[in-house]
Amino acid sequence: MEGFAVDTRIDPDKCIGCGECVRVCPSQTIEMRGEIAMVTGEFSFGCGHCSAVCPADAITVGAIDTQALQLATVTDTEAYLAPGEFDTAALVRLMRSRRSCRNYQQQPVAAETLEDLVRIGTTAPSGTNNQLWTFTILPERSLVMKLAEGTLGFYQKLNRQADNPALRLLSRVFLKDVLGQYHREYQETVTEGIRTWQEDGIDRLFHGATSAILVGSRPGGSCPAEDALLASGQILLAAHAMGLGTCLIGFVVEAMKHDRSIKRLIGIDDREKIHAVIAIGHPNENYQAPAGRRRIQPRIVSGD
Ligand SMILES: Cc1cc2nc3c(=O)[nH]c(=O)nc-3n(C[C@H](O)[C@H](O)[C@H](O)COP(=O)(O)O)c2cc1C
Ligand code: SF4
């Protein structure tokens, strides 16, 4: 099993032998030896469940930095909320009220708020708790524009390729028709977006956002894209609670996947993968109602 080196310590003088740590440990790192809990496993997720559940404050987990989630702009976030203790209606209202924001004010978002959003992002679960995610903050509009320019260059090149019927044919034979599919489904929209940007100065990519957070991964994770997107989800919700607007910008993610030079433009290492780009800013729109959704019919599997 993958995990951190075991760096968990149990103080035998404090342990009262309740066994709670053994019950919550996902990697069987701890065992009861008589009346005392002991670290006996060779692997640990480093999740900290044991120390969080211990009623005797007997456990320290070296892999965890208890200060890592301390926020600069939000207070009173330390106390644990047991299941059922939070106001579900308030949470659902928050979730339903978050909307992708495509109109922003020019006022920048404070750097410490963006850093807090990243810390909040890391409250997400991650496969085997490996937390191999990366976060890159672009705190200024000029940096967001630098990323936009790199993305623009990629799509201009892609458009030239997709305009070429011979390349589309080659793509159909050798590349699962990716160029043809782009040509049919996206090229017109992208071309129009580029035209309005160049001719009218309308930013259809970042929608005028003053900042952005890129969520990526370092090599080695078991499910890096899922980890990054879950972290992004936390950021989107927290940003809404803080009064900020956000929008995921998939067009930039796609460009960065294919053109490494865009990563270099903003100082991101080649080995990192970018899974989400979040435009962030002070919103300049006023909704009167929360979002609706298409109705879904979940499949309920019967036990009969
Ligand atoms: C993976 C992903 C990529 C997206 N890419 C873009 C994008 O490039 N530009 C954009 O304006 N919106 C983008 N969106 C936002 C979606 O259009 C938006 O979430 C959807 O229309 C639902 O609206 P809501 O977020 O307001 O609920 C993206 C959303 C997701 C989940
Ligand atoms: S949870 Fe704490 S007190 Fe209970 S067995 Fe584990 S170390 Fe001992």
Side-chain angles (χ1 to χ4, degrees):
M1 192 183 296
E2 221 180 297
F4 294 93
V6 181
D7 198 2
T8 304
R9 305 268 175 275
I10 302 179
D11 183 340
D13 296 330
K14 287 187 175 174
C15 175
I16 55 170
C18 66
E20 288 296 318
C21 52
V22 177
R23 275 190 344 108
V24 298
C25 177
S27 47
Q28 290 80 49
T29 310
I30 306 174
E31 266 185 286
M32 292 306 291
R33 289 280 170 92
E35 295 297 305
I36 297 286
M38 279 183 71
V39 176
T40 54
E42 290 176 20
F43 301 101
S44 168
F45 278 12
C47 62
H49 287 192
C50 55
S51 74
V53 82
C54 177
D57 192 24
I59 308 180
T60 50
V61 180
I64 286 176
D65 176 356
T66 50
Q67 303 301 303
L69 288 176
Q70 236 170 30
L71 306 181
T73 63
V74 191
T75 52
D76 296 333
T77 58
E78 304 289 308
Y80 176 66
L81 277 170
E85 272 185 11
F86 191 70
D87 180 348
T88 310
L91 177 63
V92 176
R93 273 187 71 200
L94 175 74
M95 290 170 158
R96 291 186 64 192
S97 302
R98 178 214 56 81
R99 316 246 28 195
S100 291
C101 179
R102 299 189 179 88
N103 297 281
Y104 295 92
Q105 300 169 31
Q106 287 180 4
Q107 176 199 353
V109 177
E112 59 184 8
T113 302
L114 295 167
E115 285 174 42
D116 274 355
L117 282 172
V118 165
R119 288 186 196 101
I120 292 166
T122 66
T123 60
S126 64
T128 59
N129 193 34
N130 61 43
Q131 300 178 46
L132 286 172
W133 39 41
T134 63
F135 299 88
T136 304
I137 297 175
L138 305 182
E140 289 166 23
R141 176 77 183 149
S142 59
L143 295 166
V144 175
M145 280 294 89
K146 199 172 188 181
L147 180 55
E149 304 257 345
T151 305
L152 174 80
F154 168 77
Y155 282 105
Q156 284 174 321
K157 198 162 123 198
L158 185 63
N159 278 354
R160 284 195 292 277
Q161 290 171 354
D163 279 336
N164 183 330
L167 287 180
R168 288 208 301 275
L169 181 66
L170 279 175
S171 153
R172 195 159 70 221
V173 177
F174 296 111
L175 291 170
K176 296 185 184 162
D177 197 28
V178 283
L179 214 49
Q181 196 186 357
Y182 169 76
H183 181 66
R184 288 188 300 276
E185 294 176 21
Y186 299 106
Q187 190 171 357
E188 197 179 323
T189 318
V190 171
T191 305
E192 179 59 10
I194 294 173
R195 189 194 65 72
T196 50
W197 185 9
Q198 290 180 328
E199 291 177 14
D200 311 324
I202 299 170
D203 169 13
R204 291 218 189 279
L205 191 58
F206 280 97
H207 313 292
T210 51
S211 44
I213 296 177
L214 284 67
V215 189
S217 62
R218 299 196 299 276
S222 51
C223 30
E226 290 86 344
D227 298 347
L229 289 168
L230 285 163
S232 302
Q234 310 283 74
I235 291 174
L236 301 190
L237 282 181
H240 184 78
M242 290 173 171
L244 297 171
T246 56
C247 189
L248 286 164
I249 310 294
F251 276 111
V252 181
V253 175
E254 196 57 27
M256 293 182 93
K257 234 184 246 173
H258 298 286
D259 184 347
R260 289 172 177 203
S261 71
I262 306 174
K263 282 196 261 186
R264 283 182 220 131
L265 268 182
I266 49 170
I268 295 179
D269 191 284
D270 267 1
R271 284 163 300 179
E272 267 183 45
K273 283 192 175 150
I274 298 301
H275 305 286
V277 173
I278 308 170
I280 305 182
H282 292 279
N284 189 17
E285 44 192 32
N286 297 300
Y287 288 103
Q288 306 297 321
R293 280 291 189 256
R294 289 187 193 123
R295 198 176 287 275
I296 61 152
Q297 189 60 54
R299 181 179 300 111
I300 301 177
V301 179
S302 145
D304 301 336

